[in-house]
Amino acid sequence: MQLNLSIGGLHLLACLGTDMNFTLKTETLLKLRAKRLRELLQERVSTPVPEPFNYKDATAYALGHNDLRALRASAQAANEGSPWDEQCTEAERTGRRSFLATRLTEYARRFDVQVEDMEGLIDQWQPTASRAQHPAFSIDEIERMRAAGIPQQAFELLVHYEDSGEEPTAEDLDLFRRGIKSSEAAGNTALTLYMGPLAVRLVNQKTGQAAQLGVALLELLSEASEILFPKVQLAIALKNGWGVAQNLERARSLCRLIRQTLTAGEDVFSSDVGHVEFLMLQGKLHGHSSLLQERKLAFQSFREAADLGSGQAALMVAHYLHPLRPDNEPDMFSGVVPHDISSSERYFELALRRGYNPHTKAFPEGAL
């Protein structure tokens, strides 16, 4: 007897008995899960993983297939959907995790790879979830939280912090997490609207427990919401090391995700201010790259921000377009785009109109 379960874009065929096959329907899903497995596995082995260890094969095997080829063959045949982990009961989800842990352990042993805390790895990997969540709640737990009024409690506490200007505690963070994970659509939107400004206020303190809590809130919002605002703010924190260790690569990765959404024509920003903030961040992340293509992306970002009215971006564009003085060493602006003195002067004038002071080489505080 076979049981067909649906997982949206991820399809699952579960055989009652000893076999259970999870079939990833697209190469993109497979790549993402294999990449995440690589990151998590490296943290849980005491010796380097040998070269023959193939992360896509490992993913396929953990999902119940003999190898990558078998997973791809199954993907062509699968056409029915099934519930995500988030829609399963606690018992069903526990069974899935146990199956994944057993299969991945078997694959790792082929290469003499000893994995520490396999259960913890699976809890973070979550290849059969619509998106990894920490902690991941079952439908049973979500219903219990709703019955206990957790979403409303979280909302009322967020309103309190908005009105009072006080700072939340680590215990409050747990309530916010459970509230947003168990809220329904309208409640989720309301929680997000209050949680975002609170997170930014905390992160802007730059150091200390408050900034760390702000980053944790941004991580939660990035995981639980389709809104891209928290990803922009999280990328800013990661670039500057505010409330978290500086991580430029992850900041660039978040910017790539946002840029892809913009390129697809989606309405990401509610105002030009938010759009400028993203473009300035993207420019600064790529402006010092050794790769000309990335430095051109930085110039393009600054130019778009300037065209939206940013004086700071206009000053950057003016530098790119102005020829290097003979007595100056090459810098981040050199050799990126052809020089155009007329355009350079036009952008410099915009910077002046936005408050730039050539003597102090600074803009007024808060200038766009």
Side-chain angles (χ1 to χ4, degrees), residues 182-363:
S182 61
S183 62
E184 299 185 82
N188 189 284
T189 301
L191 287 168
T192 300
L193 288 174
Y194 277 89
M195 198 178 295
L198 174 62
V200 172
R201 172 161 67 86
L202 296 173
V203 168
N204 283 344
Q205 296 191 33
K206 301 180 182 179
T207 59
Q209 184 180 15
Q212 293 172 16
L213 280 172
V215 170
L217 286 174
L218 291 176
E219 293 276 16
L220 174 58
L221 285 168
S222 297
E223 176 186 303
S225 171
E226 296 299 324
I227 298 172
L228 292 180
F229 164 80
K231 291 182 173 60
V232 176
Q233 298 302 317
L234 181 57
I236 291 172
L238 289 164
K239 174 191 174 292
N240 295 313
W242 294 346
V244 66
Q246 187 182 59
N247 188 334
L248 298 180
E249 183 51 44
R250 188 171 175 220
R252 292 189 192 99
S253 177
L254 287 167
C255 282
R256 280 194 295 271
L257 173 64
I258 297 162
R259 189 166 72 248
Q260 287 167 3
T261 307
L262 281 170
T263 303
E266 294 188 33
D267 188 13
V268 175
F269 302 104
S270 59
S271 70
D272 286 348
V273 173
H275 197 173
V276 166
E277 189 173 39
F278 164 69
L279 291 167
M280 291 295 291
L281 170 66
Q282 183 170 252
K284 291 173 182 177
L285 282 169
H286 294 279
H288 293 278
S289 174
S290 59
L291 300 175
L292 179 58
Q293 182 179 0
E294 291 197 6
R295 292 165 64 202
K296 285 187 174 182
L297 173 61
F299 170 76
Q300 177 186 337
S301 299
F302 291 131
R303 185 176 60 187
E304 289 181 21
D307 292 344
L308 287 171
S310 169
Q312 297 193 47
L315 182 62
M316 299 294 280
V317 174
H319 285 313
Y320 277 105
L321 294 172
H322 199 281
L324 189 70
R325 291 182 172 81
D327 56 336
N328 286 359
E329 293 290 329
D331 54 22
M332 65 177 282
F333 306 109
S334 305
V336 178
V337 293
H339 296 144
D340 184 336
I341 294 178
S342 176
S343 294
S344 175
E345 290 175 347
R346 188 171 68 253
Y347 278 105
F348 187 73
E349 288 172 3
L350 173 58
L352 292 174
R353 291 199 301 273
R354 292 291 182 266
Y356 178 66
N357 186 328
H359 302 292
T360 62
K361 299 187 183 303
F363 285 87

Side-chain angles (χ1 to χ4, degrees), residues 22 62-63 96-105 122 127-128:
F22 303 81
L63 294 174
R96 287 184 178 181
R97 299 289 170 84
S98 177
F99 174 79
L100 289 164
T102 299
R103 293 283 294 183
L104 188 55
T105 299
I122 298 298
T128 55

